[in-house]
Amino acid sequence: MAKQFTYYLILVILIIGINGAGGLVIEEFKTGVGCPKIMYIPMCLVILICFILPLIAHLIKKWNVVYFLFTVLAGTIALVASMMQFAGTAQCPKTASSTPMCYYSLLLFSSLTILKIYYLKPINNK
Protein backbone atom coordinates (compact mmCIF):
# COMPACT_ATOMS: atom_id res chain seq x y z
CA MET A 1 0.00 0.00 0.00
CA ALA A 2 2.79 2.43 0.93
CA LYS A 3 4.68 1.49 -2.25
CA GLN A 4 1.65 2.27 -4.39
CA PHE A 5 1.14 5.61 -2.62
CA THR A 6 4.81 6.47 -3.15
CA TYR A 7 4.59 5.53 -6.83
CA TYR A 8 1.66 7.91 -7.39
CA LEU A 9 3.19 10.65 -5.23
CA ILE A 10 6.28 10.56 -7.46
CA LEU A 11 3.99 10.85 -10.51
CA VAL A 12 2.19 13.86 -9.03
CA ILE A 13 5.45 15.63 -8.21
CA LEU A 14 6.81 14.96 -11.71
CA ILE A 15 3.63 16.34 -13.30
CA ILE A 16 3.76 19.44 -11.08
CA GLY A 17 7.38 19.94 -12.12
CA ILE A 18 6.64 19.50 -15.81
CA ASN A 19 3.80 22.00 -15.54
CA GLY A 20 5.97 24.59 -13.80
CA ALA A 21 9.06 24.16 -15.98
CA GLY A 22 6.91 23.88 -19.12
CA GLY A 23 5.34 27.26 -18.39
CA LEU A 24 8.78 28.82 -18.11
CA VAL A 25 9.92 27.19 -21.36
CA ILE A 26 6.85 28.54 -23.18
CA GLU A 27 7.56 32.02 -21.76
CA GLU A 28 11.21 31.68 -22.80
CA PHE A 29 10.27 30.80 -26.38
CA LYS A 30 7.71 33.62 -26.55
CA THR A 31 9.78 36.42 -25.03
CA GLY A 32 13.35 35.19 -24.70
CA VAL A 33 13.41 36.19 -21.02
CA GLY A 34 11.63 33.31 -19.28
CA CYS A 35 14.66 31.88 -17.51
CA PRO A 36 18.42 32.22 -17.04
CA LYS A 37 20.74 30.85 -19.72
CA ILE A 38 24.15 29.23 -19.62
CA MET A 39 25.96 29.32 -22.97
CA TYR A 40 22.68 30.34 -24.65
CA ILE A 41 20.89 27.26 -23.26
CA PRO A 42 17.78 28.14 -21.22
CA MET A 43 18.10 26.38 -17.88
CA CYS A 44 14.33 25.96 -17.66
CA LEU A 45 14.54 23.74 -20.77
CA VAL A 46 17.22 21.64 -19.07
CA ILE A 47 15.03 21.37 -15.96
CA LEU A 48 12.00 20.40 -18.08
CA ILE A 49 14.01 17.59 -19.67
CA CYS A 50 15.11 16.57 -16.16
CA PHE A 51 11.43 16.13 -15.25
CA ILE A 52 10.35 14.40 -18.48
CA LEU A 53 13.04 11.70 -18.62
CA PRO A 54 12.51 10.59 -14.99
CA LEU A 55 8.75 10.53 -15.68
CA ILE A 56 9.30 8.15 -18.58
CA ALA A 57 11.70 5.99 -16.53
CA HIS A 58 9.22 5.91 -13.64
CA LEU A 59 6.24 5.00 -15.85
CA ILE A 60 8.00 2.12 -17.57
CA LYS A 61 9.52 1.00 -14.25
CA LYS A 62 12.97 0.69 -15.79
CA TRP A 63 16.00 2.88 -16.29
CA ASN A 64 16.41 3.79 -12.63
CA VAL A 65 19.90 5.04 -13.48
CA VAL A 66 18.35 7.54 -15.91
CA TYR A 67 15.84 8.58 -13.25
CA PHE A 68 18.55 9.25 -10.66
CA LEU A 69 20.99 10.79 -13.14
CA PHE A 70 18.51 13.46 -14.19
CA THR A 71 16.92 14.12 -10.79
CA VAL A 72 20.35 14.49 -9.16
CA LEU A 73 21.61 16.66 -12.05
CA ALA A 74 18.59 18.96 -11.80
CA GLY A 75 18.75 18.94 -8.00
CA THR A 76 22.38 20.06 -8.21
CA ILE A 77 21.47 22.82 -10.67
CA ALA A 78 18.65 23.91 -8.34
CA LEU A 79 20.97 23.84 -5.32
CA VAL A 80 23.59 26.01 -7.05
CA ALA A 81 20.90 28.39 -8.35
CA SER A 82 19.32 28.60 -4.88
CA MET A 83 22.67 29.38 -3.25
CA MET A 84 23.38 32.04 -5.88
CA GLN A 85 19.88 33.48 -5.42
CA PHE A 86 20.34 33.57 -1.65
CA ALA A 87 23.77 35.21 -2.03
CA GLY A 88 22.35 37.76 -4.47
CA THR A 89 24.68 36.79 -7.33
CA ALA A 90 21.88 35.45 -9.57
CA GLN A 91 18.15 35.80 -10.05
CA CYS A 92 15.86 32.80 -10.40
CA PRO A 93 12.44 33.22 -12.03
CA LYS A 94 9.85 34.01 -9.37
CA THR A 95 6.33 32.83 -8.66
CA ALA A 96 3.39 35.22 -8.43
CA SER A 97 4.14 35.46 -4.70
CA SER A 98 7.79 36.42 -5.47
CA THR A 99 9.29 33.14 -4.24
CA PRO A 100 12.28 32.09 -6.37
CA MET A 101 11.35 29.00 -8.39
CA CYS A 102 14.80 27.49 -7.89
CA TYR A 103 13.81 26.94 -4.24
CA TYR A 104 10.80 24.92 -5.38
CA SER A 105 12.93 23.00 -7.90
CA LEU A 106 15.35 22.07 -5.15
CA LEU A 107 12.48 20.84 -3.00
CA LEU A 108 10.88 18.88 -5.85
CA PHE A 109 14.05 17.17 -7.05
CA SER A 110 15.18 16.37 -3.50
CA SER A 111 11.76 14.85 -2.83
CA LEU A 112 11.85 12.87 -6.07
CA THR A 113 15.25 11.41 -5.22
CA ILE A 114 14.30 10.49 -1.65
CA LEU A 115 10.92 9.05 -2.64
CA LYS A 116 12.44 6.90 -5.41
CA ILE A 117 15.05 5.52 -2.99
CA TYR A 118 12.21 4.64 -0.62
CA TYR A 119 10.13 3.18 -3.47
CA LEU A 120 12.97 0.92 -4.62
CA LYS A 121 13.86 -0.26 -1.12
CA PRO A 122 12.84 -3.90 -0.66
CA ILE A 123 9.97 -4.60 1.72
CA ASN A 124 11.09 -6.54 4.78
CA ASN A 125 8.23 -8.71 6.02
CA LYS A 126 9.28 -9.86 9.45
Side-chain angles (χ1 to χ4, degrees), residues 11-68:
L11 281 180
V12 167
I13 293 170
L14 286 165
I15 291 167
I16 289 169
I18 289 169
N19 185 45
L24 285 175
V25 169
I26 290 169
E27 184 66 26
E28 176 63 32
F29 288 141
K30 281 183 181 177
T31 66
V33 293
C35 57
K37 296 169 193 63
I38 296 177
M39 296 177 12
Y40 303 105
I41 300 169
M43 285 298 100
C44 53
L45 180 59
V46 173
I47 298 299
L48 179 61
I49 291 166
C50 288
F51 276 118
I52 292 172
L53 292 178
L55 174 65
I56 293 167
H58 188 65
L59 287 172
I60 64 172
K61 297 181 180 179
K62 293 182 182 179
W63 303 341
N64 290 326
V65 171
V66 170
Y67 180 97
F68 285 113

Side-chain angles (χ1 to χ4, degrees), residues 101-120:
M101 289 183 176
C102 50
Y103 297 169
Y104 289 120
S105 281
L106 179 58
L107 176 66
L108 291 176
F109 283 110
S110 298
S111 299
L112 287 168
T113 302
I114 292 165
L115 286 168
K116 189 69 165 188
I117 290 169
Y118 172 78
Y119 179 74
L120 293 173

